[in-house]
Amino acid sequence: MRTLLVLLLVLGSLTPMPAAAAAAVCVTSCDTLDPSQAARESFPLPDKVINGRVLRLHASDPDDMAWASIDTAVPGDAVWLDRSWDGGATWDGLLGKATVPGSWTGTRTLMYNLTDPANHRRGLVRACGDAQGVDCTAWIYPAVCDTACDGTAPGAGDSQPVAPTTIFGRTVRLHFDGSGLAWAGIEAGGAGDEIWLDRSWDAGASWPDGSSLGRTSVPSGATGTQTTAFATRDPRGRLYGGSVRACGREATHDQGSCTAWARPATTRAAGAADALMWSYEPYTAWWPSSWWNSAVAVTAMADAGGHDAELARTFDVNRVAFPAGARSSDPIDGHFISRAIDDTEWWGLAWIAAYDRTHDARYLTEATTIADYVYGFWDTGTCGGGVWWDRERTYKNAVSSGLYLRLAASLHLRVAGDTVWGQRAKTAGDWYLNSGLINASGLVNDGLTGSCANNGQTVWTYNQGLGIGGLVELWRATGETSYLDAARRLGDAAMSGLTSGGVLVESCDTGTNSCDDNQKQFKGVFMRYFGDLANATGSATYRAFAQKQADTLWAGDRDAQNRIGQRWAGTTPNVTDWRTQASGLEAVLAAG
């Protein structure tokens, strides 16, 4: 483990105090994992000897966990870990405390995590022992390593995402190189002026373990200097979307000045994806707390690439059954199946996207299992076809049938030698075009009445997008241009009927309205499939429309930390969360 050793303490007089029960931290494993399950073992620090006993700190880089042991000991000796989240100022003590039993000569603690992505923080740990005297090793702080590790020289490229700050005539700038490493520089200064970086894992709310990174002084005879470079992502610790700021101090004054916080964007897609992954919870392996929205976020991350391990973990953790309230208000039956047929279908498309990204056959198998379940709700006895919205068969709507069309056609194109899904997709596409879901303006209303007529309910952008996506995929599956022509008509209608000033809008994000958690992701779904239409047709008009969406939101609906809001033109009232982030990411990806 490449480590930076900080706060070396020789605590000969330390007396362990009873610690309040620390909340268990879970990353990919929870605290108190047995060391026998460690993926690797390393010894990041010299041993500490306490009255002849050997106190040792152990670490596993792949697990990003640590444990402690004591050897050449006698019964009654004890060993434990301390863990600090604030740079060693305070700590959770006596973690995993174990006492050497009779006839033994040593013992060890269980394993504890070094990071806490759910709460956006990194920790320090040390091994402590009581062997007729209490002492501890130094703290270890595992170095942050992304494309390079903390403390390296900046690479090629120099972007400056926020305005510089000034202090007593000095200019302090924040820089990112082309790989997203950050550094700070000070200009127009003098000898003794200082420059450093602060790094925060919780969007600038706190930075106890990332203060004064690379702190350096302007040397005699110079007017400026810069820090080394530091990472804003910690893939080992499952921490993404870290924020940094540049800070400086003039030599003769105590006060300093800092720029705004920022995150890098080596590309638009990379910046938007990291901001989305900031909200991902790796232990429960989803974006709390919305089940179908998480499926759409998985799709966006698969489309963006670069997070195959998180795709796999999401699959492994969530393909089991869950009781009502754990993932959804409904129980999840396993294989991502629930009474909400559309929720189930979103997961089917997510695993199609994961399969396209990784070519891992288990994702395609899962998508097929989901589609087989959904096919059980294709019912010609009502309205001549279409998929029911729920298990109780109360409503035939555009979302369930649009999802099914895309899913069936996608399976036909990916399942070798398919003789089933192709015909089902064609049947679904023909029904969709003749169902009445598409109104006279070429827009898709929400669903059908009990008498199988268009119900005139809201035209949501995601329904328009699913219609486009299903028909484009059906064109690929059959080669029949009539389906691509129909997709064009839906795309043209959307550009004229679902925009304001050429920018896509949802009916709920106009005026003083606000969109609910479901509606926040609708525009991104539309753009995913509109981008597919642009690629299928090669239309310059469609490409220009997709580019306008990405350019508009990047310029007017994104902050310095690459957080994207609901209203892509940046008007108010606006809201930003992981759902709007996933939606914006798909718009960026659609522009290519």
Side-chain angles (χ1 to χ4, degrees):
M1 175 182 284
R2 186 180 186 276
T3 56
L4 172 65
L5 306 183
V6 296
L7 208 62
L8 179 60
L9 300 179
V10 180
L11 301 176
S13 61
L14 179 67
T15 301
M17 299 295 291
V25 174
C26 297
V27 184
T28 54
S29 298
C30 285
D31 287 347
T32 70
L33 184 69
D34 193 286
S36 65
Q37 298 183 53
R40 191 183 304 162
E41 182 177 22
S42 63
F43 310 102
L45 291 173
D47 295 339
K48 172 72 69 174
V49 177
I50 312 173
N51 295 321
R53 284 76 154 177
V54 177
L55 179 66
R56 181 171 296 153
L57 184 67
H58 308 247
S60 172
D61 277 8
D63 301 301
D64 206 41
M65 300 181 83
W67 68 101
S69 68
I70 190 167
D71 294 296
T72 63
V74 299
D77 289 347
V79 63
W80 65 90
L81 283 176
D82 289 341
R83 180 172 60 195
S84 174
W85 301 110
D86 57 10
T90 63
W91 56 86
D92 298 326
L94 304 177
L95 297 178
K97 184 177 180 181
T99 302
V100 177
S103 78
W104 288 29
T105 59
T107 191
R108 65 187 182 185
T109 70
L110 297 173
M111 297 170 67
Y112 287 79
N113 282 292
L114 297 172
T115 61
D116 179 13
N119 291 297
H120 307 295
R121 57 186 183 171
R122 288 173 48 85
L124 293 81
V125 295
R126 64 183 179 184
C128 297
D130 184 355
Q132 297 182 351
V134 175
D135 208 344
C136 298
T137 68
W139 294 97
I140 65 163
Y141 187 151
V144 180
C145 297
D146 188 13
T147 56
C149 291
D150 283 352
T152 57
D158 182 0
S159 63
Q160 299 173 30
V162 292
T165 186
T166 58
I167 181 168
F168 299 105
R170 280 69 170 157
T171 300
V172 174
R173 297 184 190 274
L174 176 65
H175 305 257
F176 290 113
D177 71 14
S179 63
L181 296 179
W183 78 95
I186 189 167
E187 306 163 12
D193 292 349
E194 291 184 318
I195 185 73
W196 67 90
L197 281 175
D198 289 339
R199 179 171 58 199
S200 173
W201 299 105
D202 57 7
S206 65
W207 53 101
D209 64 328
S211 179
S212 298
L213 299 178
R215 192 174 191 124
T216 188
S217 299
V218 176
S220 177
T223 60
T225 191
Q226 66 181 42
T227 68
T228 52
F230 291 81
T232 59
R233 304 165 81 250
D234 179 12
R236 177 178 57 195
R238 281 75 177 181
L239 285 165
Y240 300 95
S243 304
V244 290
R245 66 181 182 181
C247 299
R249 185 184 72 84
E250 191 269 339
T252 62
H253 294 82
D254 290 333
Q255 65 265 41
S257 182
C258 299
T259 67
W261 293 97
R263 291 170 176 155
T266 54
T267 65
R268 288 179 176 182
D274 267 357
L276 175 58
M277 286 305 300
W278 186 83
S279 298
Y280 178 79
E281 214 289 355
Y283 184 70
T284 52
W286 70 321
W287 282 263
S289 49
S290 183
W291 181 239
W292 84 267
N293 295 86
S294 285
V296 179
V298 167
T299 304
M301 291 309 304
D303 291 344
H307 286 278
D308 294 356
E310 283 79 13
L311 294 177
R313 179 154 181 84
T314 304
F315 181 86
D316 291 337
V317 170
N318 289 289
R319 68 192 302 263
V320 301
F322 293 96
R327 288 292 186 272
S328 168
S329 57
D330 297 320
I332 307 300
D333 301 338
H335 295 287
F336 306 91
I337 288 169
S338 68
R339 62 168 288 278
I341 309 306
D342 58 335
D343 286 9
T344 305
E345 292 169 300
W346 288 115
W347 283 104
L349 290 181
W351 300 125
I352 290 287
Y355 173 75
D356 289 347
R357 161 70 188 165
T358 65
H359 304 294
D360 187 331
R362 63 181 179 156
Y363 297 138
L364 184 60
T365 298
E366 190 71 8
T368 305
T369 297
I370 289 169
D372 283 334
Y373 168 77
V374 174
Y375 179 68
F377 295 89
W378 174 270
D379 182 6
T380 59
T382 302
C383 304
V387 174
W388 290 105
W389 177 60
D390 55 9
R391 197 176 280 169
E392 294 78 18
R393 302 179 180 237
T394 63
Y395 185 32
K396 284 199 173 172
N397 62 356
V399 63
S400 298
S401 294
L403 284 161
Y404 174 72
L405 172 56
R406 178 75 184 199
L407 183 56
S410 295
L411 287 175
H412 174 68
L413 289 166
R414 291 161 178 80
V415 175
D418 172 63
T419 58
V420 174
W421 289 106
Q423 185 55 54
R424 288 178 178 175
K426 191 174 189 311
T427 299
D430 292 341
W431 178 86
Y432 187 94
L433 290 171
N434 293 287
S435 64
L437 287 168
I438 304 170
N439 65 31
S441 299
L443 299 175
V444 180
N445 291 101
D446 191 69
L448 301 176
T449 66
S451 59
C452 301
N454 184 306
N455 63 13
Q457 291 184 19
T458 304
V459 174
W460 299 110
T461 58
Y462 80 151
N463 282 331
Q464 197 79 10
L466 288 169
I468 292 169
L471 292 166
V472 169
E473 197 80 332
L474 184 56
W475 163 73
R476 291 195 183 98
T478 64
E480 296 184 21
T481 57
S482 61
Y483 296 126
L484 188 59
D485 291 342
R488 283 179 179 268
R489 289 193 294 272
L490 294 181
D492 294 343
M495 287 194 297
S496 62
L498 299 179
T499 59
S500 175
V503 178
L504 194 66
V505 294
E506 204 67 62
S507 59
C508 57
D509 65 12
T510 58
T512 59
N513 298 322
S514 296
C515 295
D516 67 23
D517 282 347
N518 291 324
Q519 297 155 1
K520 290 172 183 174
Q521 276 186 297
F522 286 0
K523 296 200 301 289
V525 173
F526 173 87
M527 287 310 304
R528 181 178 199 257
Y529 297 115
F530 186 89
D532 195 20
L533 175 63
N535 291 333
T537 61
S539 165
T541 300
Y542 294 159
R543 291 188 187 281
F545 180 83
Q547 191 65 54
K548 183 176 179 63
Q549 310 314 303
D551 290 347
T552 300
L553 72 84
W554 201 255
D557 190 31
R558 175 188 65 99
D559 67 12
Q561 300 196 63
N562 302 321
R563 294 175 295 202
I564 299 169
Q566 167 65 33
R567 297 188 177 208
W568 290 351
T571 56
T572 57
N574 207 352
V575 63
T576 301
D577 66 11
W578 64 262
R579 299 165 185 84
T580 66
Q581 191 70 30
S583 182
L585 173 58
E586 286 287 17
V588 167
L589 293 170

